[in-house]
Amino acid sequence: MKKLGAILALFLLASVLPVFAPAQNSPATADQDYTLIPGLAKDLIDTKADPCVDFFQYACGNFSKLHPIPPDRSSFASYMITQEHTNHVLRTMLEKAAAGGAARTPNEQKIGDYYAACMDVDAINRKGLKPLQPELDRIAALKDKRELTPLLAHYQLTNDGAFFGAGEEQDFKDATKQIAVVGQAGLGLPERDYYFRTGDVAEKTRKDYVRHIMNMLKLLGEPEAQAADEARQIMQLETALAKVSLDATSQRDPQNVYHMISVADLQNLAPALNWNRLLTEADFPPVSQLNVAMPEFFKGMNAVIETTELRTIQAYLRWQLLHWTDPLALPKALDDESFDFNRRQLLGALEQRPRWKRCVQATDSALGEALGQVYVAQEFPASSKQATVEMVHNIEAAMEQDIATLDWMSPETKSRALEKLHAVADKIGYPDHWRDYSKLTITRGDEYGNSARAAIFENLREVHKIGQPVDRGEWGNTPPTVDAYYNTSMNDIIFPAGILQPPSYDTKATDAVNYGHIGATVGHELTHGFDDEGRQFDGKGNLSDWWTREDAKRFEQKADCEVKEYSSFVAVDDLKVNGKLTLGENTADNGGLRLAYMAFIADAKRKGIDLTQKDDDYTPVQQFFLGYGQEWCGTQRPEALRTQVQTNPHSPMQFRVNGVVQNMPEFGQAFGCRADQPMMAANACRVW
Ligand SMILES: [Zn+2]
């Protein structure tokens, strides 16, 4: 679902943590290719560190020296080396497809020409602001607030997030249905709390943001005084929207973002717009009801529209148009200004990513399953799929055993939990059916048009699902993606080909190492079905309470232990991890490593592996934990860390490692830790 925020707990593999400053003497460049690091990388280990005091430092202590943060990145990590490598592979494919020739398949024509148009900066700069002119004319032509309805309907298709977003989702309460949904949007800062947080850093960010809006409006041709004035008014308008927006933590509770009402009731809630007309013009099929995810927001947004002067709304719409347009399609000065605020100031990146990398990513996001077909044929061996499927089955069997032996859960709830576990669909590598892009026109030399048509194509595809049966085979990310996710409504886990590469999955590494890496990630995704959010959905993907009251209470007590544990971790300066925002991910990290451990031990027993025998300096159990630790090696610039802690449901890397191993006594045993050492928590938390 576009623009509506992180309602699903996606395993974003987002940013990491700055523990070490990048070494000065080994500068990385933004263009360099990387060799994939192996599953067990001994050169990353800091042998001077004590694994029982700080396991993250032990497993990953040399990472920043060997792999300094490239200047175009705000953080760097093991999995980002895989991303960088994959970028180079995709670039070669796209350059070949772009070189043309009559023998190109229709998909090769599309990805090749999309990439070529994106790389054609001369054409983009020559056109300047001309491609935006029809959109600017529409805003200028507004004579009355009633005319906002058709304009905002149009924005639902073009991905302009001014005011709100509308789209499609599976009905939380009946996962066989695909319904219409509207949710909050309209902000240019990353999250609503950015508008209200106190302190020097927060105040500076707001000041820089107002200057950024002003700079963008100036680049649109507005005189300085007018741009400055409008930027202040736009900030006021956005602050009013932020005031009625739901914060990131509250959005994690499905009950907070599910309010089925009739279109007539939405009309009463927010009469400034004509909702029937808006949905019709955005090409939604007729609906009687829809999910108004955040009713308070729509009430508040209505007041903002009614009390703000039309010319201020027009200035806001011009700004939002610039904010939501892909900067790759904008002339250089606007692209540079967008980088300066969004990536340099908010995340600490030193320089813009090379254009080719951005164009690879843009092609993947516009035509992911066309590019994915070419990628999978070249890069993904059938043996990797088979091995992963086998591991997933072993980890599902471990979860079955885990649920059966839990001492805090009643037999009734256990049988429902097993029912849910058995219903999980495993999707590995790439989809069985590929998306059809034949109706999407991609033209060389037309970056803005390609990007706009791709957005409309995708939004229409989404909207036209409303009222149709659910396609259970659909994928929410593309095959080259170095990431994985669990989807509560589908009750499925997805592991694209991109993540099934070293170090996460290394055919040359031992089973122990692979169970620690990708095995823990499989366990992580599976556990999402049973974290504080996922547990509220049943095996069919429906929001329904299948827990006995007693069991639900015990679950909450156990989860609360993790809230307290992670809330005590200091991320940067005075900023602590938000234990509530990160609860689902922390539960998944902890459950994931335990399930992988159980599956690994069972597998080793079947294969007759001696768990005390050192191989390559480490016992198999130590290798398992090192594999896990090294999945999360990385460093992060302080700006990026701050943004992550304030907006992202994942804990910083250091805590994803140390926070988890200190909850597992098996770790302390494997490394011979003493009871009073930091990685041996006296009151270890355990949910699953
Ligand atoms: Zn996750």
Side-chain angles (χ1 to χ4, degrees):
M1 185 173 56
K2 71 188 169 103
K3 289 183 284 184
L4 302 184
I7 288 172
L8 302 175
L10 299 191
F11 178 49
L12 291 167
L13 281 164
S15 345
V16 263
L17 178 92
V19 185
F20 327 100
Q24 298 300 316
N25 57 353
S26 53
T29 67
D31 250 326
Q32 85 184 57
D33 196 357
Y34 288 84
T35 311
L36 292 172
I37 53 178
L40 180 57
K42 286 168 111 180
D43 56 347
L44 297 181
I45 295 174
D46 176 2
T47 49
K48 287 193 279 316
D50 183 343
C52 298
V53 172
D54 183 347
F55 184 56
F56 180 72
Q57 175 64 24
Y58 181 78
C60 300
N62 290 335
F63 184 87
S64 67
K65 259 181 277 169
L66 294 169
H67 307 292
I69 305 176
D72 62 329
R73 286 225 181 228
S74 56
S75 55
F76 208 43
S78 313
Y79 72 85
M80 292 183 193
I81 289 179
T82 315
Q83 287 176 342
E84 292 293 354
H85 171 76
T86 306
N87 278 337
H88 279 85
V89 170
L90 294 172
R91 177 195 198 176
T92 308
M93 286 174 186
L94 287 168
E95 282 175 350
K96 196 171 147 218
R104 291 194 297 179
T105 64
N107 274 341
E108 285 166 350
Q109 177 273 319
K110 286 195 164 60
I111 60 174
D113 289 350
Y114 195 98
Y115 181 75
C118 181
M119 289 300 288
D120 191 354
V121 278
D122 286 345
I124 292 163
N125 286 323
R126 217 179 311 120
K127 287 183 188 170
L129 292 167
K130 223 182 286 165
L132 282 178
Q133 202 52 52
E135 297 295 337
L136 292 166
D137 290 345
R138 278 173 187 260
I139 297 170
L142 288 175
K143 291 199 179 55
D144 187 305
K145 288 182 200 171
R146 271 173 303 184
E147 293 170 2
L148 278 172
T149 293
L151 184 68
L152 295 178
H154 168 67
Y155 284 177
Q156 301 319 308
L157 296 178
T158 60
N159 269 357
D160 186 317
F163 288 114
F164 68 96
E168 171 277 338
E169 69 181 358
Q170 268 172 280
D171 188 338
F172 282 5
K173 295 216 168 138
D174 181 356
T176 64
K177 283 197 184 133
Q178 304 188 100
I179 58 165
V181 55
V182 289
Q184 68 190 35
L187 307 181
L189 282 168
E191 210 263 339
R192 61 89 71 192
D193 287 351
Y194 274 75
Y195 293 82
F196 308 109
R197 224 176 249 116
T198 53
D200 293 347
V201 179
E203 273 159 35
K204 181 180 181 302
T205 301
R206 283 194 288 272
K207 227 179 249 166
D208 290 341
Y209 177 57
V210 174
R211 191 173 316 118
H212 170 56
I213 300 174
M214 179 187 84
N215 290 342
M216 291 293 271
L217 293 175
K218 271 166 67 185
L219 289 168
L220 208 50
E222 294 188 7
E224 171 133 9
Q226 183 193 337
D229 202 33
E230 288 180 355
R232 272 192 302 275
Q233 288 164 6
I234 289 165
M235 184 62 172
Q236 267 174 28
L237 189 160
E238 287 191 11
T239 306
L241 288 179
K243 206 171 226 162
V244 291
S245 296
L246 212 55
D247 65 82
T249 303
S250 305
Q251 286 184 56
R252 292 196 61 255
D253 184 344
Q255 305 286 356
N256 286 342
V257 290
Y258 184 77
H259 303 91
M260 287 297 284
I261 61 172
S262 66
V263 180
D265 284 343
L266 173 59
Q267 190 60 45
N268 289 331
L269 194 67
L273 300 171
N274 178 334
W275 291 95
N276 264 322
R277 182 173 174 203
L278 189 140
L279 294 172
T280 307
E281 295 203 5
D283 220 35
F284 280 60
V287 292
S288 53
Q289 283 206 314
L290 77 172
N291 178 18
V292 178
M294 302 93 177
E296 285 307 307
F297 173 82
F298 283 89
K299 211 168 123 188
M301 178 192 85
N302 192 73
V304 170
I305 293 176
E306 277 175 356
T307 56
T308 308
E309 271 189 77
L310 182 63
R311 10 179 246 120
T312 305
I313 290 177
Q314 286 170 305
Y316 166 73
L317 293 173
R318 280 196 296 279
W319 150 243
Q320 287 276 312
L321 172 68
L322 294 174
H323 178 70
W324 292 97
T325 300
D326 186 349
L328 284 166
L330 294 173
K332 186 172 184 311
L334 282 116
D335 187 23
D336 288 349
E337 172 62 30
S338 165
F339 163 78
D340 189 71
F341 182 73
N342 293 303
R343 291 193 44 84
R344 193 180 66 77
Q345 299 194 58
L346 285 181
L347 297 174
L350 305 178
E351 60 183 58
Q352 178 64 279
R353 283 185 298 159
R355 187 154 185 108
W356 71 261
K357 271 192 217 173
R358 302 168 69 204
C359 289
V360 164
Q361 288 309 309
T363 312
D364 181 56
S365 114
L367 292 155
E369 292 198 8
L371 178 58
Q373 284 181 58
V374 185
Y375 175 78
V376 164
Q378 184 184 309
E379 294 290 315
F380 190 58
S383 57
S384 290
K385 180 159 178 160
Q386 277 158 14
T388 311
V389 167
E390 196 183 313
M391 183 180 275
V392 169
H393 289 158
N394 289 345
I395 290 166
E396 284 167 348
M399 185 153 213
E400 196 172 306
Q401 194 197 335
D402 177 51
I403 291 170
T405 53
L406 283 180
D407 58 5
W408 56 270
M409 195 184 255
S410 68
E412 300 99 280
T413 310
K414 276 184 184 178
S415 84
R416 298 297 304 275
L418 288 172
E419 215 174 272
K420 175 162 186 176
L421 174 65
H422 293 150
V424 173
D426 308 325
K427 297 180 179 172
I428 314 292
Y430 52 91
D432 293 339
H433 306 288
W434 296 101
R435 202 163 288 173
D436 174 14
Y437 295 100
S438 56
K439 294 209 170 69
L440 171 59
T441 305
I442 301 298
T443 314
R444 248 176 146 94
D446 187 15
E447 160 65 7
Y448 183 90
N450 289 341
S451 150
R453 280 188 297 275
I456 293 170
F457 177 81
E458 172 58 15
N459 287 319
L460 284 174
R461 192 188 71 81
E462 288 281 327
V463 154
H464 292 164
K465 293 199 287 189
I466 294 166
Q468 300 297 315
V470 174
D471 171 10
R472 290 265 165 188
E474 190 177 352
W475 281 50
N477 59 14
T478 68
T481 308
V482 185
D483 200 348
Y485 73 81
Y486 170 79
N487 178 339
T488 42
S489 292
M490 289 280 205
N491 195 25
D492 61 3
I493 54 176
I494 297 211
F495 287 82
I499 200 175
L500 302 173
Q501 306 184 75
S504 292
Y505 175 66
D506 182 357
T507 52
K508 295 196 190 76
T510 59
D511 286 351
V513 167
N514 280 326
Y515 269 105
H517 271 286
I518 193 75
T521 303
V522 172
H524 173 107
E525 301 311 337
L526 218 45
T527 306
H528 269 317
F530 303 87
D531 68 16
D532 59 318
E533 190 174 73
R535 78 171 187 89
Q536 301 184 55
F537 293 79
D538 65 18
K540 294 195 172 79
N542 295 329
L543 183 60
S544 81
D545 193 359
W546 48 272
W547 294 65
T548 66
R549 189 167 299 173
E550 278 300 299
D551 289 336
K553 216 165 101 194
R554 278 193 286 261
F555 175 93
E556 274 159 21
Q557 279 162 0
K558 296 201 165 276
D560 198 47
C561 175
E562 284 179 358
V563 173
K564 291 201 183 88
E565 177 193 356
Y566 284 80
S567 295
S568 73
F569 295 146
V570 177
V572 57
D573 302 333
D574 55 332
L575 196 61
K576 284 188 176 167
V577 173
N578 178 343
K580 283 217 162 89
L581 176 63
T582 57
L583 175 59
E585 295 301 334
N586 299 335
T587 305
D589 280 344
N590 280 276
L593 191 63
R594 171 155 303 280
L595 296 179
Y597 180 80
M598 291 170 69
F600 153 61
I601 296 290
D603 198 31
K605 274 191 188 146
R606 273 196 301 272
K607 291 176 178 157
I609 291 168
D610 180 357
L611 293 172
T612 59
Q613 186 70 42
K614 280 194 181 174
D615 166 30
D616 214 11
D617 299 335
Y618 295 101
T619 66
V621 182
Q622 289 174 331
Q623 288 186 24
F624 168 82
F625 283 111
L626 280 167
Y628 179 69
Q630 293 198 338
E631 176 77 9
W632 301 115
C633 287
T635 67
Q636 192 166 20
R637 301 189 202 280
E639 295 88 341
L641 183 58
R642 192 167 275 281
T643 299
Q644 183 192 344
V645 171
Q646 290 173 355
T647 60
N648 196 297
H650 298 86
S651 293
M653 297 280 149
Q654 178 187 16
F655 307 121
R656 297 193 75 165
V657 175
N658 289 351
V660 174
V661 297
Q662 73 185 38
N663 285 333
M664 268 185 87
E666 294 86 345
F667 170 82
Q669 277 156 26
F671 283 91
C673 303
R674 292 192 317 269
D676 62 341
Q677 289 186 294
M679 296 298 105
M680 290 281 281
N683 300 306
C685 300
R686 178 171 172 189
V687 180
W688 293 104

